[in-house]
Amino acid sequence: DAKTTQPTSMDCAEGRAANLPCNHSTISGNEYVYWYRQIHSQGPQYIIHGLKNNETNEMASLIITEDRKSSTLILPHATLRDTAVYYCIVRVAGAGGGADGLTFGKGTHLIIQP
Amino acid sequence: DGGITQSPKYLFRKEGQNVTLSCEQNLNHDAMYWYRQDPGQGLRLIYYSQIVNDFQKGDIAEGYSVSREKKESFPLTVTSAQKNPTAFYLCASRRDASSYNEQFFGPGTRLTVL
């Protein structure tokens, strides 16, 4: 699976859009970009995933650059409950080759300020 | 309610004792996973099972064992051979291992070995 690089931490004011960047310059053509988040001492929660087109769901939007080497997760109206560690993961969808699991790095600690 | 349950939430054991962590899901998912998380770190894959009666080692399987006798259950045993067992353990499931679907995580079990 391709390696990802994320900032260690970010702040965002409540009610503003939170934009979380992720670099994945070694991504290959059949690898998807997944985003999960983990609120302190809980299990991670799936947010969104995409291949090359921008995606939107009820939680967030995912913007993937045309060369697919980076992406941005957007939380349109951040609330205090969005404070969490956000993980950007790149992997082949489905079983793929090798161990069938997700490789979580250290992620970005997003802190929403009141 | 459908979901993944892990019990107990907190577990204390003496060094040298084996301990089994429970993971149950009623989502009718084929694939199940065990991860370990250390403070300030991402998740690392211990074992995974893509179907009943089959399981595979992940990245850090040494000192752990699993079974998958029923579709809904995937217990993890932390043996005395695991040199540093104190950690946060997370179980996850996925509808199946061959399609583009996300993993659902349980609330986790925090194991402390005294």
Side-chain angles (χ1 to χ4, degrees):
Chain A
D1 295 338
K3 182 178 177 180
T4 62
T5 304
Q6 299 177 253
T8 302
S9 65
M10 292 180 63
D11 288 351
C12 179
E14 188 178 17
R16 305 296 293 268
N19 298 301
L20 291 89
C22 179
N23 286 322
H24 31 80
S25 58
T26 60
I27 193 170
S28 58
N30 63 346
E31 288 182 313
Y32 283 65
V33 181
Y34 290 82
W35 283 84
Y36 283 74
R37 74 179 183 183
Q38 185 176 25
I39 295 170
H40 183 62
S41 293
Q42 296 182 21
Q45 175 190 25
Y46 166 83
I47 301 173
I48 199 167
H49 76 279
L51 181 62
K52 54 184 177 181
N53 296 323
N54 298 337
E55 303 287 344
T56 295
N57 63 20
E58 64 279 3
M59 289 183 69
S61 295
L62 174 60
I63 308 298
I64 302 174
T65 58
E66 193 169 341
D67 63 8
R68 302 208 326 120
K69 293 185 177 182
S70 66
S71 60
T72 301
L73 178 75
I74 301 172
L75 308 178
H77 304 287
T79 70
L80 297 178
R81 285 182 290 184
D82 291 322
T83 292
V85 177
Y86 288 76
Y87 297 99
C88 170
I89 299 162
V90 174
R91 63 154 287 145
V92 176
D100 177 32
L102 297 172
T103 300
F104 287 76
K106 294 185 179 181
T108 296
H109 187 194
L110 175 66
I111 300 171
I112 306 301
Q113 304 282 1
Chain B
D1 289 336
I4 302 175
T5 57
Q6 292 185 244
S7 60
K9 189 169 180 64
Y10 298 95
L11 188 57
F12 297 88
R13 279 294 182 270
K14 291 183 179 179
E15 193 172 348
Q17 289 182 333
N18 291 356
V19 59
T20 297
L21 281 60
S22 166
C23 178
E24 304 280 329
Q25 54 98 359
N26 61 3
L27 300 167
N28 200 33
H29 285 178
D30 285 334
M32 296 186 74
Y33 308 81
W34 273 106
Y35 294 88
R36 168 187 172 131
Q37 187 174 34
D38 293 287
Q41 304 296 316
L43 281 67
R44 292 184 290 169
L45 182 65
I46 304 173
Y47 267 98
Y48 66 101
S49 168
Q50 295 180 344
I51 200 166
V52 176
N53 292 321
D54 183 64
F55 50 83
Q56 306 294 330
K57 292 182 179 180
D59 299 323
I60 55 165
E62 185 176 351
Y64 299 98
S65 66
V66 293
S67 63
R68 186 84 188 278
E69 297 176 0
K70 298 186 296 183
K71 187 175 186 178
E72 59 271 21
S73 179
F74 190 41
L76 173 75
T77 296
V78 184
T79 75
S80 56
Q82 169 49 235
K83 295 176 182 173
N84 188 17
T86 294
F88 188 43
Y89 290 88
L90 288 154
C91 179
S93 71
R94 191 151 73 109
R95 188 171 68 235
D96 59 73
S98 61
S99 57
Y100 312 122
N101 43 73
E102 68 270 25
Q103 292 191 13
F104 292 85
F105 284 82
T109 292
R110 191 168 297 280
L111 173 65
T112 301
V113 176
L114 305 172

